[in-house]
Amino acid sequence: MKSLVPDNSVVSLQIWDMAGQERKADGVLLLYNLSCEKSFLHVKSWIASIRENEALFIETSAKQGTNVFKAFGRLAR
């Protein structure tokens, strides 16, 4: 559970690792290893379903910490 304050309103995010299971959600983060094609191929089916509802792509790096807070901030908005 993480609380953020985008645009002066508190938003609480519950982040779950669903391991490919379908569940009701208000937002989705697809995470994969950019240096491993197999990792990317595993999220292809999810990408197709997300495109139907518009999507935002933000390249992040957990290793370097690049754009991680930006991605969660956009999800909260």
Side-chain angles (χ1 to χ4, degrees), residues 5 10 16 20 29 36 41-42 44 47 51 55 57 59 65:
V5 187
V10 177
W16 297 82
L29 296 171
C36 175
L41 293 175
H42 284 215
K44 275 182 94 170
I47 292 170
R51 280 191 183 144
F57 179 84
E59 188 171 311

Side-chain angles (χ1 to χ4, degrees), residues 1-15 25-29 56 58 67-77:
M1 183 89 134
K2 178 70 176 172
S3 293
L4 300 175
V5 187
D7 306 324
N8 297 318
S9 61
V10 177
V11 176
S12 295
L13 301 176
Q14 290 184 351
I15 310 301
D26 294 319
V28 176
L29 296 171
L56 172 67
I58 301 174
N67 291 332
V68 174
F69 289 109
K70 178 181 178 180
F72 281 102
R74 293 296 297 267
L75 178 64
R77 283 186 182 87

Side-chain angles (χ1 to χ4, degrees), residues 3-54:
S3 293
L4 300 175
V5 187
D7 306 324
N8 297 318
S9 61
V10 177
V11 176
S12 295
L13 301 176
Q14 290 184 351
I15 310 301
W16 297 82
D17 182 351
M18 302 307 295
Q21 299 176 32
E22 290 191 36
R23 302 282 179 160
K24 183 180 182 308
D26 294 319
V28 176
L29 296 171
L30 295 178
L31 308 172
Y32 60 92
N33 182 342
L34 188 60
S35 64
C36 175
E37 182 181 10
K38 185 177 179 180
S39 173
F40 175 73
L41 293 175
H42 284 215
V43 299
K44 275 182 94 170
S45 63
W46 287 96
I47 292 170
S49 65
I50 290 171
R51 280 191 183 144
E52 296 172 4
N53 298 304
E54 300 181 0

